[in-house]
Amino acid sequence: MTKPTSNLLESGPARDTGPETDTGTRDRKWWLWLAVPAASGIGLGLAWWLLAPGGLNLISGNPALADPTASAGRLPRDLVLAGLLLLSGCFTAVLLDSKVRKPGQGIRTFLAVLGGAVGALVAWQVGLLAAQWWGPASNGSEGFSLRAATALLLWPGTTALVTFLLTLFGLMGKQPEAQPLAP
C-alpha cells in the first residue's frame, strides 16, 4: 500500500504520527517565538540608523536633519523607530494568527510578546552602536539617541493587541455548533 504524497514529507519510515510524538515536536519549536523576534532586532536597529535623521538619513535626505545634535531631528528619529517596531508587532501578530487553531496558543503568544520586548531593546542598542561606529563623533546624550523610551513598548504591545483582536474577530465569525436534537 502506498502513502499519499502529503504524508510522505511528514512521516519517515520509523516515525510515529501519534499525539505523543506531535507534542514533542511542538515543544521543540516554541523557543523560536522568542528567539526570532529578538534576533530580528539587529536588522531593525540597523534600519533605524539607516533611515532616521541623525543617522544616515535615507528617508528625508534633508542635510539640516543629518546632524544628530539638531533638535529638529529628535522627534522624526523617535518616530522612525516607533514605526519600525509597530510594523514588526503587526507582522508578528499575523504570524501568530496563522497558528491560532493549534494547541499552545497561549505560550506562543507569551513568547512572541517577550521576544518583541527583547527585540525592541536589541534594535535600540544596535542603532546606538551603529551610530557610534559609523556616525560622526558626538558627546553622549546630544548624539543619535532615543528620547521617547516608551516607543520600545510598541512591538510587544502591538503584538498582544493585534493577536487579541484577530482572535476575537475569528471567534466572532465562527458559527455556533449545532446541538443534537433529542428524540
Side-chain angles (χ1 to χ4, degrees):
M1 188 177 266
T2 61
K3 292 184 180 182
T5 57
S6 63
N7 290 340
L8 283 176
L9 297 176
E10 294 176 8
S11 62
R15 186 175 139 191
D16 291 336
T17 58
E20 302 83 25
T21 313
D22 191 32
T23 54
T25 305
R26 253 183 297 156
D27 289 341
R28 284 182 261 149
K29 292 184 181 180
W30 283 0
W31 64 273
L32 290 172
W33 289 104
L34 175 67
V36 171
S40 64
I42 296 170
L44 286 177
L46 290 174
W48 177 43
W49 183 78
L50 288 171
L51 299 173
L56 209 53
N57 198 18
L58 292 179
I59 289 182
S60 72
N62 186 351
L65 296 177
D67 182 20
T69 61
S71 62
R74 290 179 187 163
L75 178 63
R77 182 170 41 241
D78 289 356
L79 290 176
V80 167
L81 181 61
L84 289 171
L85 296 178
L86 188 70
L87 286 174
S88 299
C90 290
F91 182 72
T92 304
V94 168
L95 286 178
L96 276 171
D97 186 53
S98 68
K99 306 283 185 194
V100 76
R101 304 268 188 262
K102 295 183 180 180
Q105 178 190 7
I107 191 71
R108 280 192 307 271
T109 303
F110 174 74
L111 290 175
V113 168
L114 186 62
V118 172
L121 290 171
V122 168
W124 173 43
Q125 293 302 311
V126 167
L128 295 179
L129 186 63
Q132 286 179 355
W133 283 352
W134 301 305
S138 62
N139 56 355
S141 65
E142 292 300 318
F144 188 86
S145 63
L146 179 66
R147 302 285 186 221
T150 55
L152 299 176
L153 297 175
L154 282 173
W155 190 346
T158 303
T159 301
L161 180 65
V162 173
T163 300
F164 171 73
L165 291 175
L166 289 174
T167 303
L168 182 66
F169 292 145
L171 291 174
M172 286 174 47
K174 194 176 190 181
Q175 297 293 328
E177 295 180 14
Q179 297 290 333
L181 296 173

